[in-house]
Amino acid sequence: MPSNRQTQPHFVAALEDTPIAAIDRLDETEKARSTWADAWESLRGKPSFWIASALILLIVIVALFPGIFTQVPPDQNCLLANSNKGPEEGHLLGFTRQGCDVYSRMIHGTQASVTVGLLATMIVTLFGLVVGALAGYYGGFFDAIVSRIGDIFFAVPTVLGAIVLMSVLPERTPVTIALVLSIFAWPQIARIMRGSVLSARNSDYVTASIALGVSKFRILVRHVVPNAIAPVIVIATVSLGTFIVAEATLSFLGIGLPPQIMSWGNDINSAQSSIRTNPQVLIYPAIALSLTVLAFLMLGDAVRDALDPESRARR
């Protein structure tokens, strides 16, 4: 059956009636926005981000400059005459069973707990990022080896593995605990980075870089890693609070930091015997630990929502 299209009239609008160039032309004066700029724009409007940032800033200042918040020496002037006494002038939170100032110990204990969390997070993030990026981009035998080693460490819970190692180590310092926690925690970061790199290496900008003759390593460092690192930043933020809890757990069990090093875990451990007669000795360091972990979890959630394209699209 013959088509009637050839006999149908065609109407074409005049060019002056359809200023396509004026409608569809891009604004060349406007600077293109990156993913990080969009993320910052999203974070600026989230109250949880500012609350978490304020808490974290306060915690960091307390850890770096405890003398600003208390002039009472935490490990001196511990008199048994003050054992389990309540608050009084100059001692806002009372005394421990050994007669030490609870508030001063809580302030000075911030440093050790935060140090372990920061060191462990930096070690795990750097090592996991490098190993995961190399395994995901180059693949092959190295990827298979890293994946199998990671599976072995995944089978051992971080705290359980740390308990076993810390029980046989002769020296227990914040650096030692951070290294022990990092041994069992790096596979999570490595696996997340590997998956993110696997998705990014097939992007158009990678194909264009290869066509231009850019080396694989330079493509990985300058293009793939910056575009694949967002999930790692989210996990690292949340993991910092997790490592602080892990240090407190080890110290509570008596295999973490030694008693002469003040930390929230040690204070909670030593307060067990006084929980019925003097519960504030345990409650105050526990509150400090809880607020610190909550701050990092809130920050991690806010960063995750800001860096997640699907989450931004839903808003």
Side-chain angles (χ1 to χ4, degrees), residues 84-107:
N84 289 335
K85 286 181 63 176
E88 62 181 39
E89 185 178 356
H91 306 280
L92 299 176
L93 305 181
F95 299 87
T96 66
R97 188 177 183 183
Q98 292 76 26
C100 301
D101 185 83
V102 174
Y103 175 73
S104 179
R105 288 190 63 86
M106 184 183 69
I107 293 296

Side-chain angles (χ1 to χ4, degrees), residues 29-289:
T29 62
E30 183 179 356
K31 187 177 180 180
R33 297 184 55 165
S34 64
T35 302
W36 303 104
D38 291 338
W40 172 243
E41 188 69 23
S42 175
L43 284 174
R44 284 179 13 181
K46 296 181 71 69
S48 60
F49 168 73
W50 293 110
I51 295 173
S53 300
L55 284 174
I56 292 172
L57 179 61
L58 176 61
I59 292 165
V60 171
I61 293 175
V62 171
L64 292 176
F65 310 104
I68 297 177
F69 300 90
T70 178
Q71 285 74 43
V72 178
D75 54 354
Q76 299 177 9
N77 302 327
C78 295
L79 303 176
L80 290 178
N82 295 327
S83 179
N84 289 335
K85 286 181 63 176
E88 62 181 39
E89 185 178 356
H91 306 280
L92 299 176
L93 305 181
F95 299 87
T96 66
R97 188 177 183 183
Q98 292 76 26
C100 301
D101 185 83
V102 174
Y103 175 73
S104 179
R105 288 190 63 86
M106 184 183 69
I107 293 296
H108 286 271
T110 307
Q111 190 172 66
S113 300
V114 173
T115 298
V116 171
L118 287 175
L119 284 177
T121 302
M122 288 190 295
I123 295 171
V124 167
T125 303
L126 290 176
F127 185 76
L129 189 149
V130 172
V131 172
L134 293 175
Y137 190 72
Y138 290 100
F141 181 75
F142 180 73
D143 184 22
I145 292 296
V146 169
S147 299
R148 299 295 77 78
I149 294 176
D151 291 340
I152 294 173
F153 282 97
F154 261 121
V156 183
T158 301
V159 175
L160 179 60
I163 290 174
V164 174
L165 280 184
M166 291 302 299
S167 61
V168 299
L169 290 178
E171 185 179 4
R172 293 178 293 171
T173 64
V175 177
T176 304
I177 295 179
L179 289 173
V180 169
L181 292 174
S182 302
I183 291 174
F184 298 97
W186 68 268
Q188 182 184 18
I189 297 291
R191 178 166 290 188
I192 291 174
M193 188 65 189
R194 174 182 176 273
S196 187
V197 168
L198 285 174
S199 300
R201 74 176 185 178
N202 296 320
S203 302
D204 293 338
Y205 58 83
V206 175
T207 305
S209 300
I210 295 174
L212 292 173
V214 182
S215 64
K216 286 187 175 181
F217 184 76
R218 189 172 183 181
I219 294 174
L220 174 64
V221 173
R222 297 196 60 181
H223 300 289
V224 176
V225 169
N227 287 280
I229 200 174
V232 175
I233 294 176
V234 175
I235 297 299
T237 306
V238 176
S239 297
L240 204 157
T242 304
F243 289 134
I244 293 177
V245 173
E247 179 277 320
T249 302
L250 294 175
S251 299
F252 175 78
L253 295 174
I255 55 176
L257 295 174
Q260 59 268 25
I261 298 180
M262 282 163 293
S263 72
W264 295 328
N266 279 336
D267 287 346
I268 294 173
N269 181 23
S270 61
Q272 292 181 85
S273 58
S274 305
I275 188 172
R276 293 187 178 181
T277 59
N278 195 20
Q280 69 267 21
V281 177
L282 184 146
I283 291 174
Y284 291 124
I287 290 176
L289 176 64

